[in-house]
Amino acid sequence: MKLFEYMEKYDYEELLLCQDKASGLKAIICIHDTTLGPALGGCRMWTYDSEEEAIEDALRLARGMTYKAAAAGLNLGGGKSVIIGDPRKDKSEALFRAFGRFVQGLNGRYITAEDVGTTVEDMDLIHEETDYVTGISPAFGSSGNPSPVTAYGVYKGMKATVRQAWGDDSLEGKTIAVQGVGNVAYNLCRYLHEEGARLIVTDINQEAVRRAVEAFGARAVDPNEIYSVECDIFAPCALGGVINDETIPQLKARVIAGAANNVLREERHGDQIHELGFYYAPDYVINAGGLINVADELLGYNRDRAMRKVETIYDNIEKVFEISRRDNIPTYRAADRMAEERIQAMKNARSTFLQNPKSILNMKE
């Protein structure tokens, strides 16, 4: 990979390689864009096959966070960090505290959080060295489990998408096929059930399926059947890449709206479902509730304020569809355009000169 060429192409700001021999830390912190504010993004710990793979993952994820924060209307930029190692056996207090010192060294340009392979307990160790971390234990003033908040945002975004498809946003009587019933999806099912929707669920975890069937009267189907069931809404809430060449011909739903990340296997699948008339809520717009929730911690967490902000996901989804109609583009491209337009507007607004105490204008002979 030609790093500087790639960073210039997608306008990255900073890539930091972090090494601490004593603790065994090998980490990468990537800051994509801080136009809107400090870069916020989780810390992932993974057994990468190569250092280049780890760098590519950090770059990809950081850019995605820029778009997610911008689309959510947050005053935050996009960043991400990865620690190279096995989360099952390579964790230690020394390792995470060493990582925390590197985060502290960025002086607020990057704020970290929990991600794949890391936990609240790991964030607490990072917090020993820096305040630039979210998702710590509630005892330290954090927001706790973000799953119910993420689910509420998906619920509001689904209602906005339903309004585009049927003219009103009621979910009463709608049949919704939910793929995956983990923590976020279970809470989503609760919102859907309370509004009178009929639920079809699937998961490789049969205990999760049983819980949803008992709590919400859902109908359980085999994981391979979820795409082809008769339904109004398909809600992917598990793996990414589930909208692809094999699944699109099977879909009976009119709306695609769920909590999963990277739902489209390839961009061309977003073009395809647009041409076929599906109403697709772009994943990083509809599932931004968790990000909004942890972002509120930076202000001193207030649950009511966070939930009010999460409710704006409804408006953000509506705006995505407005841009899609305005520019005659698929919604996944409209979501990117919405984020880019907000970032560019702020770049233009901040072109006005502000005095810096270290400016040459303040230097005395």
Side-chain angles (χ1 to χ4, degrees):
M1 171 186 269
K2 296 181 178 179
L3 270 177
F4 281 109
E5 185 177 301
Y6 184 89
M7 291 177 72
E8 183 179 10
K9 179 179 179 180
Y10 294 107
D11 205 16
Y12 287 86
E13 294 180 9
E14 189 169 353
L15 186 68
L16 178 67
L17 305 183
C18 312
Q19 184 279 139
D20 180 70
K21 186 176 181 179
S23 66
L25 175 73
K26 291 181 176 62
I28 297 137
I29 300 174
C30 180
I31 297 174
H32 175 245
D33 188 284
T34 57
T35 300
L36 299 176
L40 175 63
C43 173
R44 177 169 295 192
M45 188 171 187
W46 196 253
T47 51
Y48 293 98
D49 291 332
S50 67
E51 293 173 0
E52 183 173 284
E53 183 186 23
I55 291 171
E56 289 175 353
D57 203 31
L59 287 165
R60 176 181 61 83
L61 293 167
R63 184 166 177 257
M65 290 304 297
T66 295
Y67 281 78
K68 191 166 190 170
L74 297 172
N75 295 319
L76 292 168
K80 207 77 174 185
S81 56
V82 301
I83 295 175
I84 301 173
D86 188 336
R88 295 167 297 180
K89 62 181 183 180
D90 294 335
K91 290 184 178 183
S92 69
E93 177 184 358
L95 182 139
F96 284 107
R97 292 187 68 160
F99 177 75
R101 290 191 292 275
F102 281 107
V103 173
Q104 178 64 22
L106 289 167
N107 200 31
R109 276 177 48 74
Y110 169 68
I111 302 164
T112 195
E114 184 182 348
D115 202 276
V116 174
T118 58
T119 66
V120 171
E121 291 74 24
D122 300 331
M123 297 305 108
D124 286 346
L125 292 173
I126 293 169
H127 186 236
E128 292 288 333
E129 302 291 341
T130 183
D131 287 332
Y132 301 120
V133 54
T134 61
I136 53 180
S137 296
F140 296 116
S142 85
S143 56
N145 180 11
S147 295
V149 186
T150 304
Y152 184 63
V154 175
Y155 166 67
K156 298 297 287 188
M158 184 182 290
K159 286 176 69 66
T161 311
V162 163
R163 185 181 179 198
Q164 299 295 320
W166 285 286
D168 70 77
D169 66 7
S170 174
L171 298 175
E172 184 176 3
K174 294 287 191 295
T175 299
I176 304 172
V178 182
Q179 182 186 43
V181 278
N183 290 334
V184 172
Y186 182 85
N187 283 279
L188 173 62
C189 286
R190 178 165 52 84
Y191 287 118
L192 303 177
H193 176 68
E194 288 172 354
E195 193 169 330
R198 294 188 293 266
L199 300 175
I200 303 171
V201 299
T202 195
D203 199 295
I204 58 172
N205 181 345
Q206 289 304 304
E207 176 58 28
V209 171
R210 184 193 62 77
R211 191 167 63 131
V213 169
E214 291 182 357
F216 311 120
R219 175 164 69 92
V221 298
D222 184 82
N224 293 324
E225 295 176 27
I226 196 69
Y227 304 105
S228 59
V229 295
E230 292 289 343
C231 63
D232 301 300
I233 302 162
F234 174 59
C237 297
L239 300 174
V242 297
I243 302 300
N244 54 56
D245 291 335
E246 293 75 35
T247 61
I248 291 173
Q250 299 180 55
L251 293 173
K252 305 291 195 304
R254 191 174 182 187
V255 164
I256 302 170
N261 287 307
N262 305 314
V263 170
L264 305 175
R265 181 166 294 175
E266 298 176 31
E267 288 189 350
R268 65 184 177 85
H269 295 122
D271 298 325
Q272 189 175 347
I273 59 175
H274 176 71
E275 292 164 2
L276 291 170
F278 289 94
Y279 290 80
Y280 168 59
D283 43 39
Y284 71 78
V285 182
I286 195 172
N287 69 16
L291 175 62
I292 293 170
N293 192 57
V294 296
D296 195 82
E297 294 179 20
L298 304 174
L299 306 173
Y301 186 67
N302 181 294
R303 174 86 171 191
D304 291 339
R305 180 178 60 206
M307 293 299 275
R308 287 195 301 272
K309 182 66 175 176
V310 169
E311 287 180 353
T312 65
I313 289 175
Y314 187 108
D315 304 319
N316 295 338
I317 291 292
E318 286 205 315
K319 187 173 181 182
V320 166
F321 279 97
E322 288 172 10
I323 294 171
S324 175
R325 289 190 294 270
R326 180 194 75 189
D327 299 346
N328 193 28
I329 55 176
T331 53
Y332 82 93
R333 291 190 185 277
D336 288 353
R337 192 158 295 179
M338 179 175 73
E340 290 162 357
E341 287 177 358
R342 181 167 180 247
I343 293 168
Q344 189 58 50
M346 286 308 301
K347 281 183 177 178
N348 295 339
R350 290 181 176 176
S351 62
T352 305
F353 174 74
L354 290 176
Q355 182 70 294
N356 184 319
K358 295 183 179 180
S359 165
I360 192 170
L361 299 179
N362 281 338
M363 293 182 181
K364 297 181 180 179
E365 294 181 358

